[in-house]
Amino acid sequence: MSDVNASLKQALTPPPDQDQRDTAIDPTRSFIVQAPAGSGKTTLLVTRYLALLATVNEPEEILAITFTRKAAQEMRARVIEELKSVSKEHARAAMQRSAERNWQLLATPQRMHIQTIDSFQQGLVQQLPYQSRLSLDYETIENAESVYREAVGNTLERIAARTASFGDEIAAMVAAFDNNPDNVWDLLVNMLTKRDQWLEHIPALAGGALSQVDADLLADQLQQARASFCKRRQQEFIDAISVTCGLWEECVELVAASKPQKNKPESFYGMDDPSDWDHLVYLFLTGQDSWRKRISKREGIPSTDAVLKDSWTSVKEELENTIKPEQLSKLRGLPSDELTETQKQDLTNYALTLLACVQELNQLFDSQKIVDFTERAIAARRALRVDDAPTELALALDYRIRHILVDEYQDTSIAQNDFLNLLMEGWEPDDGNTFFAVGDPMQSIYKFRDADLTNFLTAETGGIKHRQVEKLQLTANFRSSTHLVDWCNSVFEPILGSVNDAELGQVAFSKSIEMDKVALGSRHGLTIIESEDRKHEAELVAMKLRELHEEFPSDDIAVLFRTRSEIGAYFEAFRNHGVRWRGVDMESLSNFGVVRDLYSLTCALIDLDDELAWSALLLCPLAGIELRDLEVLREHDRAVDMVLAQPTERLSDIASKIINRIREPILDALHNQHRSLRSRVERAWYQLGGASAYAIHSDPNSEPVIKDNAQHYLDILEGFENDYIDKDSLWERVESALATENNPSAYVEVMTIHNAKGLEFDHVVLPALNQMTRHEQRLPLYVKQTEFGTVMAAQNQLEPDPMHSIMFKDEAQRNKNETSRLFYVGATRAKTSLWLFGTVKDLEKNPNANSFLRLIREVTLPTDWEEVPAKDTPQDELTGARIWRRIDPNFHFQVPTTLPEFEANVILDEAPESARLDQIETLLSSPIAIGHLVHGELQRMVEVGSLDLPDSQRVEMWRNELRNQGFSARQIAEMLETVQDQLERTVASDMGRWLLKADHEQSAVEVAYTTSNGSQNRISIVDRTFVDEGTRWIVDYKTSMIPDDRNVPLDQKALNHQPQLIRYAEIFERQESLPIKAGIFFTDVAELVEVDVSIPARKAVIDSRSLSEMHGLNDKTFKPQELLEG
Amino acid sequence: MRKPTLNLPTDYLSATNNLTLVAASARLARELRYAFDYEKIQADEKVWVRPQIQSYTQWLLNSYRQLGSRHPSLALRSVISNDTFLLIAQQQSPSEEVEMHASAIVDAWHLAWDANLWTDFKDIRTTENGQLCDDWFQRIRRCLDREKLITVAEIPELLQRAIERHDWRPQPITTFGFKDPGIASRNLFEALTRRDLCHEATESPNRIEPSTQRLHGFEKSTEEFNTLALWAREKLSEYGPSATIGVVINGLSQSYPVVKRSFESIFSEVKDITRLVAIDSGQPLIQHRVYLDFINLLRWTCGSLDYDVLLQLAKSPYLPRLKLHRKPQKWFRERMTIREYRNRLPRAERSVLDRVVQLAPTRPDQPIAFADAAEVILELLRLCGYTTKSEDEFAYLDGNAIKVLNDLVLRLAQVAAIRPRISWRRFIDLLEIFAGDQTISVARSEAPIQVMGRDASSNLRFDALWVTGVSDVDWPAVPRPNPFLPRIMQKRANLPGISHEQMLEDARVLTNHWRTSSNEVVFSYVSQIDKVASQPSNLFADLSRENDAEVGASIRSLVDGFELIEYGHPWSTFSVSDVIHEYQQPYGSKIAPEKVKAATRLLRNQAHCPFKGWAVHRAGLSETETPLPRFPTAAQRGSLFHYVVAEILAGAKTQAQLEILNDDTLLAAVDKVLEKSDESKALPARFLMHERMRLQRWIKEWLTFQVQRREPFEVLDVEKEVELEIKGLKFRGYIDRIDRTESMERIIIDHKTGPNYLTKNWDPELMSDPQMPMYATAVEACDGLAYLSIYRTSDGLKCRWQGIGTSTQPEVSDGLDDGVGNFTSLTELKDAWRERLTEIVTDHLDGKADVEPVQDDVCRFCHLSNLCRVYEDPTLNYVGGDED
Ligand code: SF4
């Protein structure tokens, strides 16, 4: 949209911060770069990456860390693009290096390690299994919430188990919450999610994985950490005011002089007690944290003492010039260094309960062979913490990491930053390795993912652990129009303030410089409605969107929300005004009828007794049974019978028609169990009319919504990997899944500000400015990781812990600061125009605390506001009974498309073969094992041509094998005796010796034949065959070890095998024309019983053949050796 | 019948019987056998001797056995399966801490033998992981020696030595498909070749010059799979019944369900898809019901099971005789042991569970003989009807699953060699471990569409071939060196998967094979990863540059007719529909009063929402029973408090009497309740101790609050029964307490534990708690009514009145405040209540069933939203269950 000349001009004029940009590429130096919105951060990263490529030995030596996978993918794509085009100098140099060192970079782009910290850690722990103590087999799961819940449940159950460790502590901890385990469940789950943030920092716990933890040591560590935390806070204040010479000393004197009880300066040793600090704050700040205007006797400075009063006035002025009131108020209410007994007790109870949760979690992980990302991150750090880690790492990876680039550095957590430091462990001062971080603290909005600004702000001022870094600041904004850049500067400078305070998450505003970008239609607007009528606001927003689209039909427009709650009203208004939008992850999938009906269908199919599901299915548009009919149908005992039973005459005609219509698809789904569940649900849904039953003319969005959401639901269903589907977990997943509407004709994108991070749009609308986040809740436990260890504070109503209040206040302050930044991120997505909307009950009064409206109210001029009076239309009355919808009861599903016809040599409509489940019993059966040995030995005798009985070594071998098959020593002894006995008998008998003669004509053992009837093949294995005096002999061995068989006469037994022998005979008849004799050789008695296989005999047999014989199932027994395959 | 996908080695057909063909993999062996049979059938033969075609592993095992039969001393040891070996590795782990790495160590062991790393093994100790590996290997060796066992990996070297040193002559072989065998195998083949016992098969040359090669990117992998299934169908139609269509899927085992489903939907008319499509990887056994039912039954014998698992077992088609409850019961707990469950059953239904309990070892942690454990399993299964023949509807897949399960138990049996005695629990654990890597495969050789992983495709040729996963990040694949063997050793031995160069080279070779192995080849990749465009592998640079437009178009035209490319199913022709009918149904049917079971619950439900009243009380759709949770519920804890209050009020009736109660009396009341109540019986000791303290704190707070009341009072009634008749229905209830103040006013009091009890719930228009209005209407002498709530806030315990009606008790209420609407007197309000209650009852009798929740939040606790579709109504501010 921007003017062509302007962009040309922009391209030609170097930005004002060009020298900073040039410097940042220098591959020999380390930098931290603050790059505000629109400053072209990615280009900088890519260029530096290319520049580094030209200097390294292997591409793997550079590690580029991005915050999301998407960003990694994007950056990689950009790098490849540059490499391919070789239009820029750095790209050329990189390609040349690649050629020199034969990297084949374009063919193996995986060698460029541009990835998220998670995925890098994944690779790392796989290469350092011993050090990371994480199994390579474990699968990493994205969402482990249910496992955390389970772990917490198991932990809490320890209360009941008398012998479980920490049972008393857990019980005591729960007791503090009304003795109600439900009250702590969420808290503990949350703590487990973030365990990487605290576990390692309480050394007593980190070490005490499963053994006893020393409670005193633990308490000591917690006490230490909190004392250092307070000390540092005080010291920071002292440092801050020490820029003015003598100011601190004057403060101390004032406190000494004015604090009650300590009115003798000579006995005052200086601010060693928290109450001294409280008094200091009290002297200068009011209860509302603003500077005191007056001082009086009440504060300890009587107006009569002119000297003291003067001194107060001058100190106050100095302070006002040096610091912000928040910096002073932070010092209020600090606890004393020593923990009280109650605090000790509380904290150890908490800590040990947490440890127990971690233990339970690890057990669950082990038993399910999974880990979460957190565990992997912990393991990765563990791996790098061992002695000699740098060497081991280099040996394992086969290269050394020499350059680290970090994108979005402001969003790293303390734990991630630790990890980065560990990677640099072992770097030498002059090794030429570099660290490069880029980010914008003003855009840090991931506190909920533990992003901690401390990393960025400390790196800026003091560098990082292993490297000196230089600070660079980009200022040019290539994104937004001049007008918007100016506006943002003027609004956000006062909102964000000018102070950096890492601990409270506060970042000073830094100005952007516009690139002289004139854009048509560049403006902003701020519309406030004086009422709390969300619908009214939504309407104005909808109208604005239409207006923008009409004016700039090819521009992209975005509506950005702070949270997802209450967006229903906006969508409703969009619908009414015909705005075509695409919601990106804005609504829960469970908000859609089509999804709920699919869910009901699924539940119905997996649970024939689920009354709610079957009834819901009957009431939904796919069926549309009416209430009276449902009453009748509910009389069936089983829920499924409502559909399967024949309709009675008590049902209305229409209901009978519907039931008859839906029965077919439901039956189809119920019967075809071999299809996947998704398949069945999907088919049934289409057949019931799913594709036609929802989309309505009046809503152009409804069609894509149905398609996308139905598809999304089915994908979720498919993701359930086993045949046990738990309906509740399925529903949980549906509820937590977010719907996307892929509306191709959309011209507006609707998303949260968080999702919009990193994106830009021509026009941005920020509605619901008065929306606030939930009231800051006082959590029962605060845990913060600091460089001194973990600081914890618990709520105790009988004996309040001051630290708990401090941490609560800090947290509230951090949240407040993050709100300001979130607003900044939202506003800076706009290139050309920005539109803000809000409602407020009373324009005279302050808007909601913590809302964007409150922030902007304080800093903008009233002239900037367009105030809209409330509409006084009456609340629209509900009009009559609600409308139900159903698909035409006469609807008939037709396969909508013709797919290519095909012809295949397979039978299409044949029901699947039934299976026999009766083979388990044959396992571990000694008769079968004996059979194998005897068969094998008889075979060997023929092959080797010797009738020698097996020697001791051979017997030993058998023994081994049998033992290996699971038989006990006693069993083996018996079995071997039987085998040897049978072999001896066989060899001793004339018949046996004749059978085993190796020099029979056409002598063969265990010959396998394939027979074919044209479409099916089967295999037959003949134990022994030969030709003797012109007759073909076919013999099958039977060891006959089945005990029940004992009394059956041999003839009878042999006859059982007649069908099998007949089949063998047929095989030979096909190949030769010799007369055939067949028989069974019973090895236990060494007798051959001849079996009649003549033609008349065959006829008699045909009728009595059992099905299983026909299929040859009895031929095959299990051979352990076969199982070793694969 | 489809054609074979490879050509038999020249002359092999005629050279049957004594010539053994050794194929590099089982997959290849299967295909060779197929090719052999195919030729025979084509030649119209009916019977033939089965060819000696073996996979390499199979041949190794056979040869080892043969060696044993000739030279027993050389092959005395018995060969163990991979699972047993894994178990040994676990057992031999140098420390418990590293036991989890056993499977990687097993891999390292195989690599070491394959590549014969032993000759130059000193570098193993250069890394910590290597040291661990070395120590571990030594322990394993000692164990194998001691137990006289041998692993498959060791066999090639052993055979080679036997041939070279002992002049053992095995049967001659022809090898097939060995592209790049490991050193050990190569040495073995060379030893054989020197004795003229080994030849490399030359496949009859039949290189196909491919006519087309295409490259296509898909936005999502589902699109990719659907398209390829559709394409396969088209090819099948094009090439006819003898077609061979190959599909190569990267990461097949993970994609199995999606692949299977894609084919199921494209071939929607085909009942048994396995006859058309053979998917090499199968479904993992552990996902299959046949296994889940089996293992859960076993687990239940030695621990408790979640109630939803028990419901699954109840519905098991494989355990028909088990007969558990198919629906949740009131007494279900979240987890139950088999004994708990059995004890809850009526005697007549217990027999099977009784037997199961008897059969299972009573002490699951005590070692028993291995064979006995196996016997118990078989007995249990028999008992539950597991071994009966399946019904037809349980398909062939089940049959395969059962076979796999068979194998599993059998393999487990081998463990007895190293662990003759084992605890029942451990036995079941082992079963699970062994089951972990099992898949149920139904790949049929004759299916014309063959779906396989990359490696399996390397020797095969097809009429048409589709290869997925060729994006630049997936192809070439990323090297995955074994972390326990130091890199330098692996590099020196040039082990597979060690370097990028090697992976690239492998990828080149395979890509070339694909390109020349079929008439037409489609290469595809997912072009959007995390919504960012991804690139095809550079190995296809020529394709994307030259043919891009044409390629895209050709695939497009194939699928354009169907929306399935996006929506996964050929039936997904969505339409803005003309077949939707609209209707209204504010009423179900009428009901006569005598048929109604009057209960305050009915009043409440109908008051909350007519649809709810109808659905629960007319259509019998009550909430499904949820199991009793592991810990006491809010309701149970509330009851305990109620009992304590009742206990106190039983002894002290007036404010004065309450005032003089001391801590001991309170505690005594608490103790009495804890001793007697059912709710406390289930509580563990530690919990009970703290519960006692809690109740004590609460009752004290409550008492203080009573004592502070300004006007003295007397408790007239506790738990008083009242009855109210509306339209012939009698509703009965119990009033917690009725007080009389000094000025003789009577107040109905309801004790509540929780903050959310407000008088606005009694507003006749928006009444969500009809119970108190009902009491007030039923009791003649009532001058006021109030909730007395006690609850916890972040500042501590708090008591509060929420009441209405009397001005002499200002702390109880401000009189008739506007929380309930505009009424000038309680009498007037009572009239309005009576009217409203009558209306509610009338509505119910009339069958009124409008979806009209009285307040937004009643839906939050309602189970019917899937039926009433309240969420679809934009005029209602529907807030679902657990909105955060
Ligand atoms: S969910 Fe709400 S609208 Fe639906 S039946 Fe329940 S109370 Fe009524």
Side-chain angles (χ1 to χ4, degrees), chain A residues 882, chain B residues 605 608-613 615 850-871 876 878:
Chain A
R882 72 96 60 83
Chain B
N605 287 335
H608 277 186
C609 169
F611 186 89
K612 187 169 184 182
D850 253 338
V851 181
E852 244 182 292
V854 66
Q855 290 171 16
D856 286 348
D857 62 350
V858 295
C859 295
R860 192 186 291 251
F861 305 102
C862 179
H863 58 289
L864 294 164
S865 58
N866 281 348
L867 282 88
C868 71
R869 315 185 79 76
V870 53
Y871 52 87
L876 297 172
Y878 171 71

Side-chain angles (χ1 to χ4, degrees), chain A residues 110 137 150 157 168 178 398 631 634 679 718 724 882 886 888 901 905 920 963-964 1008 1010 1125, chain B residues 1 48 50 55 103 147 237 261 264 293 335 406 476 491 579 581 589 614 619 630 637 686 868:
Chain A
Q110 308 97 319
D137 302 343
E150 178 83 15
E157 272 191 343
D168 290 333
D178 254 358
D398 208 27
E631 286 168 20
R634 286 290 293 126
S679 259
E718 193 156 56
Y724 278 12
R882 72 96 60 83
R886 72 171 157 229
D888 184 342
E901 292 292 331
N905 242 354
I920 286 196
R963 198 178 50 133
N964 199 13
T1010 309
E1125 273 292 323
Chain B
M1 192 177 188
W48 58 93
R50 198 159 181 250
S55 73
S103 72
E147 304 287 346
S237 147
R261 190 255 309 158
E264 273 172 6
D293 290 347
R335 289 175 185 174
N406 279 349
K491 272 192 164 172
V579 291
H581 291 183
S589 64
W614 173 84
R630 297 193 243 177
R637 301 158 56 83
R686 281 196 193 102
C868 71

